[in-house]
Amino acid sequence: MGIRRVLIVGTGGREHALAWACLRDAPELELIVAPGNGGTGTIAENVAVDVTDAAAVARLAAERDVDLVVIGPDAAAAAGVADACTARGILVFGPTAAAAHIESSKIFAKQVMDAAGIPTARWVAGDAADRKRLSAFVAELAGRCVVKADGLALGKGVMVCDDVAEAEHALDECLGELRFGDAGRQVVVEELLSGPEVSVFGLSDGRNVRTLVPARDHKRIFDGDRGPNTGGMGSIAPPVDAASDRFINEVTQTVLAPCIDALRARGTPFVGCLYAGLMLTPDGVRVLEFNARFGDPETQVVLPLLDEPFLDVLVACARGEVPAGVAPAKPAAAVGVVAAAAGYPGDVRRGDVITGIEALDDDVYCFHAGTARDTDGTLRTAGGRVLCVTATGADVDAARARAYGNLARVHFDGMQARTDIGRPVTAGARS
Ligand code: AMP
Ligand code: GLY
């Protein structure tokens, strides 16, 4: 059966990039993005829906007779959107709630990694009743550790600590004061690693993995990796230290495939994008985390480099027939620079008018995230990360020059953008 109509669930720059990549190879496709943003509305139909209301998403997919549902955000996967759609007989690219556990519980992820022999930081987990054991491990590490809330904490539940006092304070906040609510009733304490970080996406049908070109995001708000953490202020692909076939094959064989095998063996096969957050330590690759979704803003630089039809890969994963291997990538690099709204990553101002997007070069992409359109078409800021200008080039330097040259044509009041996306990062940037 051909794929005529696709529903992409989510609202960010990632979803705009997913939509764009599907249409690139299948221009006739009817695409719905729910709820979408000011950018997806120009290439697809936006439909308002609560992405964590699994029944509502599945109903929308059934009513609109879609052939495939693609899940963007982890919250939708964790809420059981894939389960609800599958129950209605609709093909889905995205994990069941049970498989998405690899992201929604750090303890579960660590258990899977240990059992499957996937390289990761040494760790101990527990709740308030295990405080003695946790503190003993903190002492063993001389306080150089990372304290992580077990559950989903809006990306804020990870505390990097340099000494015992800091680590004990982090444990107090998490377990005592319940700073992250129920998500932090249990914690993982793990050894502090150092090295550059890399994100690698493996697209899986539950059995095979198709690995995409590696990427690196820049999480801090200010140049030089300073200031508070954000959802990501820009990204590059591939990072020069993670571009070799050898590296991609190693990650596929020692990280992605064993995780997919382990989840299948546990009776919860993972269909979707398995995102490995890696650190390149002096002792080799270590997994910091798994996510059950595409990264944002990494997707915005990975997909423009993909050299095979994206929609076909998504469909093959959903049907259980994706060919294992490394997906072909263009011999080029991509750089994406995020423009964020005034106030980000704190309380953001909304409603500023965005101009200049129509002046971008034809082959430079503006992936929208927090944007919305007035009924007269005026584009306004509507969220923290507003848009991501992505350019490709022969190498990272060339792509960066084009991305910044084009970003300079875009304007909205209060716009914040880093000026150093794609310049070499210092090892072990802190979160
Ligand atoms: P996570 O959500 O587990 O990836 O953690 C978020 C960020 O915390 C990572 O991107 C790293 O920058 C940092 N981090 C996590 N685990 C470690 C670790 N074991 N050592 C050093 N930094 C870490
Ligand atoms: N860019 C980091 C993430 O998507 O989690």
Side-chain angles (χ1 to χ4, degrees):
M1 185 191 71
I3 299 290
R4 294 158 300 126
R5 208 168 291 137
V6 171
L7 167 64
I8 296 177
V9 179
T11 190
R14 166 183 53 206
E15 286 75 15
H16 191 187
L18 293 171
W20 166 83
C22 286
L23 288 169
R24 177 178 54 179
D25 304 303
E28 306 300 319
L29 193 69
E30 284 178 47
L31 202 54
I32 301 166
V33 185
N37 59 42
T40 59
T42 63
I43 58 171
E45 178 188 352
N46 286 347
V47 177
V49 75
D50 172 0
V51 302
T52 61
D53 185 341
V57 175
R59 205 177 320 117
L60 171 66
E63 278 167 12
R64 301 299 295 267
D65 194 20
V66 307
D67 303 309
L68 176 74
V69 174
V70 180
I71 300 176
D74 49 275
V81 166
D83 309 68
C85 291
T86 304
R88 285 177 176 260
I90 303 165
L91 272 184
V92 183
F93 178 91
T96 60
H101 222 47
I102 195 72
E103 171 166 4
S104 60
S105 167
K106 302 226 183 246
I107 296 177
F108 176 71
K110 288 298 234 182
Q111 288 166 343
V112 168
M113 285 191 254
D114 277 3
I118 297 169
T120 188
R122 288 192 301 134
W123 62 287
V124 167
D127 58 19
D130 303 310
R131 184 62 187 257
K132 262 205 179 130
R133 212 157 43 81
L134 296 167
S135 292
F137 190 55
V138 165
E140 185 187 326
L141 298 172
R144 291 180 49 72
C145 67
V146 184
V147 176
K148 301 182 176 184
D150 175 52
L152 294 174
L154 298 172
K156 297 189 165 59
V158 173
M159 289 152 290
V160 177
C161 308
D162 265 330
D163 57 40
V164 172
E166 237 183 293
E168 289 294 335
H169 180 66
L171 287 173
D172 287 342
E173 281 193 316
C174 223
L175 299 174
E177 297 156 28
L178 293 183
R179 179 172 159 206
F180 307 108
D182 285 343
R185 278 189 191 278
Q186 297 191 81
V187 294
V188 171
V189 176
E190 66 178 38
E191 63 181 324
L192 182 67
L193 303 174
S194 65
E197 291 180 41
V198 179
S199 309
V200 183
F201 303 158
L203 308 189
S204 184
D205 59 2
R207 185 172 294 273
N208 290 337
V209 187
R210 199 152 183 83
T211 310
L212 304 188
V213 66
R216 170 169 293 142
D217 73 351
H218 294 59
K219 289 193 177 118
R220 301 299 192 112
I221 182 82
F222 300 130
D223 285 4
D225 290 328
R226 287 176 298 110
N229 241 344
T230 71
M233 291 299 290
S235 52
I236 63 167
V240 282
D241 50 358
S244 70
D245 289 347
R246 193 168 155 266
F247 174 80
I248 299 171
N249 285 325
E250 181 194 335
V251 171
T252 303
Q253 279 153 26
T254 64
V255 174
L256 295 170
C259 185
I260 292 295
D261 288 344
L263 289 172
R264 189 176 68 253
R266 286 170 184 251
T268 55
F270 185 99
V271 175
C273 177
L274 181 65
Y275 162 146
L278 308 171
M279 193 167 256
L280 310 182
T281 78
D283 301 321
V285 170
R286 298 286 182 273
V287 177
L288 300 182
E289 64 170 341
F290 281 114
N291 292 321
R293 54 175 173 79
F294 287 95
D296 188 341
E298 292 98 319
T299 304
Q300 292 90 312
V301 289
V302 168
L303 294 185
L305 298 179
L306 182 66
D307 205 11
E308 67 180 351
F310 181 54
L311 181 62
D312 290 357
V313 184
L314 298 181
V315 172
C317 287
R319 288 187 173 147
E321 54 194 39
V322 80
V326 175
K330 295 180 179 152
V335 170
V337 183
V338 168
Y344 185 72
D347 289 339
V348 298
R349 193 172 74 206
R350 289 159 206 269
D352 289 308
V353 175
I354 305 166
T355 57
I357 290 174
E358 62 294 340
L360 299 193
D361 294 345
D362 282 346
D363 58 345
V364 169
Y365 317 107
C366 178
F367 295 121
H368 294 223
T371 72
R373 270 181 213 283
D374 297 345
T375 41
D376 68 0
T378 305
L379 191 66
R380 293 182 188 273
T381 64
R385 288 186 292 174
V386 174
L387 50 85
C388 178
V389 172
T390 301
T392 56
D395 55 23
V396 169
D397 285 343
R400 185 178 62 231
R402 294 197 64 220
Y404 276 107
N406 278 269
L407 179 70
R409 302 172 198 167
V410 177
H411 175 81
F412 55 87
D413 282 348
M415 179 166 120
Q416 308 186 68
R418 280 179 58 161
T419 66
D420 63 349
I421 301 302
R423 290 194 198 286
V425 281
T426 46
R430 308 292 284 326
S431 281

